[in-house]
Amino acid sequence: MFCYQCEQTDRSNVNSGCATAKGMCGKDATTSDLQDLLVHGVKGIAQYAKRARALNSPDNAADDFILYAMFTTLTNVNFNATRFVTLIQEAAQIRDRVKASYIQAALAAGKTPEELTGAAAWQPAADIDGMLKQAADVGINAGLDQVGPDIIGLRSLILYGLKGVCAYAHHAYVLGKESDTVFAGIENALDFLSSDPTDAEALLNQSMALGTLNLEVMALLDEANTGNFGAQQPTQVRITPVKGKAILVSGHDLGDLAALLEQTKDTGINIYTHGEMLPAHAYPKLKAYPHLAGNYGGAWQDQQKDFADFPGAILMTSNCIIEPQPQYRQRIFTAGPVGWPGVRHIYDKNFAPLIQAAKALPGFKDDTSEKSVTVGFGRDAVLGVADKVINAVKSGDIKHFFLVGGCDGAAPGRNYYTEFAEQTPQDTVVMTLGCAKYRFNQHDFGEIGGIPRLLDIGQCNDSYSAIKIATALAGAFECGVNELPLSLVVSWFEQKAAAVLLTLLSLGIRNIRLGPTLPAFLTPNLVQVLVDKFGLQPITNAQADIEASLNRQAA
């Protein structure tokens, strides 16, 4: 195996990647190699799907599969090798179906069908051993000796950003939103990668095009969330448990949470959110369920302790799973793209087995003294008081905005984000999104003229809200986003963060501080390109970066 798609990558070897029997995320070599092979199979689908679409013969069902398949290869999503064998075989069958449609459409248009090679012509081996041999030729660093690390790094930037795009698009799809433009963009990017491109400028241009596409995807997801559950509202969320039977829901999938809330009405079971599900409490149609009792625990990397301590059943949706421990392995369930060998999987949102398990478990014996945090400052909530915010800036009461957000993780150095947020001056506002908020969301930041100094915008899935807030403020002040008293301090972990970063760069947003370490697939040469072209800055220490941000704005 070789993998360096996430921030916890093993950097102790010369190639800076996980290349042993097991990755730092817990993914074994077999699963890692099968994921690479699945991506290869998906490229083959896209090669024909792109050409069929150009002939007005699209296959959106094939694109739905692409979204799901790519999502399963993200960090901490699916660790089940058997499931990847099935997906690889399915990918080949779908590719052949799309190929047949393309040939038929080409002939009907009086054109000679192209004879495609590479992934489009590939056939999976008959068994897992054969598949693993095939995977050796299609890994992310295939061809390194011929094209060099910079080209491999640029290809990786596109692939990992594309995985994030597909994940966001899948979130929207399961809530009933899809787009032909998005499908076409994803097909185009995969087709581009299938050609093993070697032109650095073309690769960089494709990564920016992908960032632009992801903005459309995030807008689609925003529409899906608000259309299904209402616009976020500022809401106090209890973070201490109450007496009663309990189910804990982690991951990102609001649709799964909604289905579970409906199925547990009047059962006496309380539902708690965990990790990136915390913002669910801000959506009117979700918080209307009285048994949505609160949030339990912290960010995803705390789950082994949080889940072991939780006295009920657990549902893991969409992503962020790590190896289930013996203390809770028999009471955790997965849904959607998530998977772990031996863990029971919920299909078609039928949560009866999960509910039955919760009823058999003790739950919380007593109420705990109440504590809470406030969420729900999505774009509608913030822009609803935009005049108040603008006046506070004009009067000098608010000097600066800091967006401190992104993914959390267990790697050393992430205390930087705690220190940064808590050391921001009292006349500044901290906006946050993603699970990085758990580093500081229980700190009392106070208010500025009735405006909370900490504004929790939501999940990493809600990055669109942050962009809309920034562009609206820029419009109000008749300036560009880069001229606003705004600094972005981003913690990255996996591929959704890569997609968001590409979106920010494609919008021309400069001087983003990124950490706690830079992606291993970005070579020193590529880092310098991003520094020169976009002003990207690695984080240093909290106080120095705060002062530099304020001084840059003053200048």
Side-chain angles (χ1 to χ4, degrees):
M1 70 177 283
F2 180 81
C3 181
Y4 57 2
Q5 68 180 8
C6 78
E7 195 267 336
Q8 60 188 346
T9 290
D10 179 6
R11 299 168 191 262
S12 64
N13 58 70
V14 66
N15 292 318
S16 292
C18 297
T20 58
K22 182 176 286 191
M24 298 296 287
C25 67
K27 178 174 62 177
D28 62 44
T30 295
T31 301
S32 180
D33 289 348
L34 291 174
Q35 288 181 356
D36 289 343
L37 199 59
L38 177 59
V39 171
H40 186 66
V42 164
K43 289 178 183 177
I45 298 173
Q47 285 179 271
Y48 279 114
K50 173 185 175 179
R51 289 159 176 79
R53 186 176 296 276
L55 294 169
N56 296 314
S57 184
D59 188 333
N60 286 358
D63 289 289
D64 294 339
F65 174 83
I66 288 175
L67 302 184
Y68 179 86
M70 291 289 282
F71 199 165
T72 64
T73 70
L74 265 71
T75 302
N76 293 93
V77 173
N78 199 310
F79 295 77
N80 193 333
T82 301
R83 179 61 181 140
F84 283 105
V85 170
T86 302
L87 287 171
I88 290 166
Q89 293 168 337
E90 190 175 354
Q93 294 167 1
I94 292 172
R95 188 269 321 277
D96 290 344
R97 183 188 78 215
V98 178
K99 176 183 178 180
S101 296
Y102 160 67
I103 292 173
Q104 183 179 9
L107 293 174
K111 299 177 180 292
T112 302
E114 292 183 60
E115 282 291 334
L116 302 181
T117 59
W122 165 81
Q123 292 294 335
D127 56 32
I128 191 169
D129 290 336
M131 288 181 182
L132 292 175
K133 291 177 181 177
Q134 291 177 320
D137 297 324
V138 299
I140 189 64
N141 60 346
L144 175 64
D145 293 341
Q146 288 74 42
V147 301
D150 292 344
I151 295 301
I152 295 295
L154 283 170
R155 291 178 186 172
S156 301
L157 178 62
I158 295 170
L159 176 61
Y160 297 152
L162 185 56
K163 287 186 178 188
V165 171
C166 289
Y168 285 136
H170 178 77
H171 282 303
Y173 168 73
V174 297
L175 290 175
K177 293 293 181 181
E178 63 182 38
S179 161
D180 285 338
T181 304
V182 169
F183 286 151
I186 291 170
E187 291 167 3
N188 184 67
L190 284 165
D191 179 69
F192 176 78
L193 286 176
S194 72
S195 67
D196 294 329
T198 58
D199 182 272
E201 184 175 359
L203 283 157
L204 191 58
N205 288 340
Q206 179 62 53
S207 69
M208 292 302 100
L210 192 60
T212 301
L213 178 67
N214 189 54
L215 182 63
E216 182 172 348
V217 171
M218 290 193 297
L220 195 69
L221 178 55
D222 179 85
E223 183 183 353
N225 285 335
T226 58
N228 280 279
F229 309 117
Q232 288 190 58
Q233 301 170 343
T235 304
Q236 282 195 322
V237 181
R238 184 176 178 129
I239 58 172
T240 49
V242 296
K243 182 179 179 179
K245 304 286 187 178
I247 294 175
L248 186 62
V249 184
S250 194
H252 296 72
D253 198 312
L254 298 180
D256 280 347
L257 175 62
L260 178 62
L261 285 167
E262 184 63 25
Q263 291 176 38
T264 50
K265 280 194 313 185
D266 304 319
T267 63
I269 299 173
N270 290 317
I271 308 300
Y272 296 84
T273 56
H274 177 271
E276 283 270 52
M277 294 299 287
L278 169 61
H281 294 266
Y283 290 95
K285 291 186 180 179
L286 296 177
K287 70 178 184 176
Y289 288 92
H291 62 300
L292 182 59
N295 191 76
Y296 182 90
W300 68 272
Q301 78 277 1
D302 297 328
Q303 69 185 254
Q304 289 180 327
K305 181 181 185 305
D306 291 344
F307 292 1
D309 292 343
F310 188 78
I314 302 158
L315 175 65
M316 199 76 209
T317 74
S318 71
N319 52 310
C320 294
I321 192 171
I322 54 180
E323 182 173 5
Q325 297 300 291
Q327 300 97 311
Y328 60 88
R329 187 181 288 261
Q330 297 306 311
R331 53 187 174 89
I332 186 172
F333 297 75
T334 57
V338 184
W340 194 280
V343 170
R344 287 173 287 181
H345 192 77
I346 301 291
Y347 294 94
D348 300 323
K349 298 187 188 300
N350 178 8
F351 294 111
L354 173 72
I355 295 168
Q356 183 179 7
K359 290 179 177 179
L361 290 161
F364 291 101
K365 294 182 179 179
D366 299 292
D367 292 345
T368 305
S369 178
E370 185 171 355
K371 297 180 181 178
S372 65
V373 296
T374 304
V375 301
F377 293 99
R379 64 187 178 93
D380 294 279
V382 175
L383 297 180
V385 293
D387 56 342
K388 193 174 183 179
V389 174
I390 291 166
N391 288 336
V393 175
K394 288 181 176 178
S395 68
D397 291 336
I398 295 177
K399 293 289 198 306
H400 204 84
F401 295 89
F402 293 97
L403 176 63
V404 185
C407 312
D408 202 4
R414 288 184 176 270
N415 58 318
Y416 165 93
Y417 297 95
T418 309
E419 295 168 1
F420 192 104
E422 294 182 358
Q423 291 176 23
T424 53
Q426 292 298 308
D427 56 2
T428 63
V429 171
V430 177
M431 298 186 292
T432 189
L433 51 75
C435 57
K437 66 171 67 75
Y438 284 103
R439 292 277 168 176
F440 48 80
N441 70 339
Q442 294 188 42
H443 178 78
D444 183 5
F445 286 86
E447 297 182 344
I448 301 175
I451 301 169
R453 284 197 58 234
L454 179 66
L455 302 176
D456 186 342
I457 296 172
Q459 297 180 333
C460 71
N461 293 13
D462 295 305
S463 297
Y464 182 73
S465 266
I467 292 170
K468 294 300 287 185
I469 291 169
T471 53
L473 289 175
F477 287 106
E478 298 181 345
C479 67
V481 171
N482 291 320
E483 284 69 57
L484 286 172
L486 169 67
S487 298
L488 279 67
V489 185
V490 179
S491 60
W492 83 282
F493 182 80
E494 44 88 347
Q495 296 76 65
K496 286 182 177 179
V500 172
L501 177 63
L502 290 179
T503 295
L504 295 173
L505 298 181
S506 71
L507 288 169
I509 297 175
R510 297 182 58 81
N511 302 309
I512 300 167
R513 297 186 185 276
L514 185 66
T517 56
L518 295 183
F521 52 84
L522 293 181
T523 65
N525 289 337
L526 296 181
V527 170
Q528 194 59 52
V529 168
L530 296 179
V531 169
D532 294 342
K533 191 174 181 66
F534 304 104
L536 189 72
Q537 302 177 55
I539 63 170
T540 60
N541 67 76
Q543 192 57 48
D545 287 349
I546 291 171
E547 291 176 2
S549 296
L550 296 175
N551 290 338
R552 180 182 64 82
Q553 188 61 40

